[in-house]
Amino acid sequence: MSEAKGEKPKLLKLTVVKSNFFMPQNQWVLEPGEYILGRYPTNDIVIPDPYVSRRHARIFFKEGEWYIEDLGSTNGTLVNNEDIKGKEPVKLEDGSEIVVGLTILAVSLVEKTEEE
């Protein structure tokens, strides 16, 4: 699938803004694809917060846009203060805020450079 008018696909950068728990990793830069976020250590994005489900949410790139969907988590997923549990995937924008458990993540969309 090609991007319109030579646009490069945007990378999604997730940054932990706040967490009450030790985070071995506090930033992820994601290439277009599909990623599982949750507490389980085999997930793509591991959030060691006891209020986060083992397989909490899915972040994915489709048709030039980034989306997130809740995977039936116990405590839900908030995107910009809206609970998305049980709803269709929600588009992520630059500056979106994701809350899973007691952890807050900031979303940045960044251009892919030649060095990356």
Side-chain angles (χ1 to χ4, degrees):
M1 192 175 297
S2 63
E3 294 298 310
K5 295 183 181 141
E7 282 184 29
K8 294 180 179 143
K10 300 256 189 214
L11 303 178
L12 182 81
K13 182 163 76 171
L14 289 178
T15 305
V16 175
V17 175
K18 178 180 180 289
S19 182
N20 296 331
F21 308 99
F22 172 71
M23 302 293 279
Q25 184 173 352
N26 62 13
Q27 192 172 83
W28 298 264
V29 177
L30 309 177
E31 295 267 348
E34 182 176 315
Y35 303 88
I36 302 297
L37 177 151
R39 195 179 71 237
Y40 208 67
T42 58
N43 287 323
D44 304 300
I45 302 163
V46 178
I47 307 290
D49 173 335
Y51 297 96
V52 170
S53 294
R54 285 180 295 239
R55 286 176 50 88
H56 196 100
R58 177 174 76 113
I59 295 174
F60 62 97
F61 188 81
K62 181 179 177 185
E63 296 174 0
E65 304 288 353
W66 283 98
Y67 295 88
I68 186 170
E69 74 174 325
D70 186 271
L71 295 175
S73 67
T74 302
N75 294 312
T77 302
L78 298 179
V79 177
N80 299 327
N81 294 318
E82 181 182 337
D83 191 353
I84 66 165
K85 184 176 176 181
K87 298 181 179 174
E88 294 291 314
V90 171
K91 184 174 157 184
L92 292 171
E93 305 278 356
D94 193 50
S96 291
E97 182 180 85
I98 300 168
V99 179
V100 290
L102 300 177
T103 301
I104 301 171
L105 301 164
V107 173
S108 303
L109 298 177
V110 295
E111 294 286 340
K112 184 174 182 174
T113 61
E114 296 305 316
E115 298 86 53
E116 293 179 285

